[in-house]
Amino acid sequence: MDYTQLFQFSGDRVLVIGAGSGIGREAALALGAHGATVVCADRDSTTAAETAAMIGGSAIATQLDVLDLDAVRAAADEFSDISALVFTAAMNVRKRIADYTMEEFDRVVNLNLRSSFSLIQAFAPKMAANGGGSIIGFASIRAYVVEPGQGVYAATKAALVQLARTAAAEFGPDGVRVNVIAPGVVETPLTAQIKNNPEWYNAYAQKGALGRWSKPEELAGAVVYLASNASNYVTGSVLMVDGGWTAVDGRFDPPNS
């Protein structure tokens, strides 16, 4: 076993959906730095092209709206040779259950869950036909722990965990691995509402063991790991990258005595 090759992607093409910004962009940059040929996909073709330019080399950009089922299926045909698929697109409407509209419910469920299902449904069989591959989705700590106003978002992320586990069971015999990463609080456009509220921001920062928020680039290593040969026997798993949020359950730090 040549362990120096565990994190090398030379000759492998990977598709990152949501590559135009945030975690998706950092994941694309990290995969490119390890030798992968990266296809940067995003609903915003301009930001996708910016990411591809940052990677350089053979990286390309493509426009993809994951809510468009025909476009997702066409992408699966066009990029049927990929060794890894990473998808990060998500949204959240922070409202208590009694205040939610069904239109808001549908928007969150369609982007967070329905699109995840359609991506797995479209790409997993292609990977299986090629002898295997890695699919990586993004759940959240909200799949496990919640707070008021997180109901629909949390439900979609919990559902994604079970969807990934089921896909791992169904496509595992053909060599397709399916895993999810569960971040804690990350400084992205999705969390701008919280970040701009000092009281909210500081409360979240103190919840985890590390006492701070994470940055998008701190999720990139988890993506590289799950896409690489280093995780060949890892499937149906949730990789928590939450700074200890779900490990620390107390809200009070008792005195030493």
Side-chain angles (χ1 to χ4, degrees):
M1 179 68 180
D2 183 358
Y3 290 115
T4 65
Q5 299 304 303
L6 283 180
F7 296 98
Q8 293 302 312
F9 293 83
S10 179
D12 291 337
R13 186 152 76 149
V14 301
L15 173 61
V16 180
I17 299 174
S21 64
I23 296 169
R25 169 169 284 181
E26 299 303 328
L29 293 173
L31 289 164
H34 283 79
T37 298
V38 185
V39 179
C40 303
D42 201 281
R43 185 176 62 178
D44 185 336
S45 60
T46 300
T47 58
E50 290 172 354
T51 302
M54 292 168 71
I55 297 170
S58 56
I60 64 170
T62 187
Q63 194 275 337
L64 178 62
D65 181 354
V66 293
L67 294 174
D68 184 338
L69 182 57
D70 290 337
V72 167
R73 290 172 174 171
D77 288 336
E78 181 178 0
F79 304 114
S80 60
D81 63 336
I82 59 171
S83 65
L85 167 68
V86 183
F87 55 92
T88 67
M91 69 171 296
N92 191 4
V93 176
R94 291 183 176 84
K95 284 186 176 181
R96 293 174 184 256
I97 292 171
D99 298 325
Y100 242 81
T101 68
M102 292 312 299
E103 186 273 335
E104 290 167 336
F105 178 92
D106 289 342
R107 280 198 292 129
V108 176
V109 170
N110 285 343
L111 183 58
N112 295 4
L113 182 58
R114 183 181 183 273
S115 69
S116 298
F117 179 87
S118 67
L119 288 167
I120 293 171
Q121 184 184 59
F123 281 91
K126 304 287 186 183
M127 288 183 170
N130 291 336
S134 174
I135 296 175
I136 304 162
F138 272 80
S140 167
I141 56 171
R142 296 304 175 207
Y144 299 94
V145 293
V146 299
E147 66 184 3
Q150 296 278 12
V152 181
Y153 179 80
T156 62
K157 293 304 184 179
L160 175 57
V161 169
Q162 292 302 82
L163 176 63
R165 286 171 171 162
T166 304
E170 293 181 359
F171 295 101
D174 295 310
V176 180
R177 300 183 294 108
V178 187
N179 297 285
V180 295
I181 296 168
V185 286
V186 190
E187 294 186 0
T188 70
L190 186 64
T191 56
Q193 175 188 357
I194 299 170
K195 183 180 177 182
N196 293 332
N197 182 320
E199 185 178 1
W200 208 343
Y201 182 92
N202 292 331
Y204 275 21
Q206 296 306 312
K207 178 61 180 73
L210 298 181
R212 63 177 178 84
W213 288 44
S214 67
K215 297 184 181 301
E217 56 266 31
E218 293 181 294
L219 279 297
V223 174
V224 172
Y225 166 67
L226 289 175
S228 74
N229 290 329
S231 61
N232 275 347
Y233 202 61
V234 180
T235 193
S237 295
V238 180
L239 178 51
M240 308 300 297
V241 188
D242 65 353
W245 183 298
T246 52
V248 181
D249 66 354
R251 296 192 179 190
F252 175 68
D253 190 5
N256 292 329
S257 57

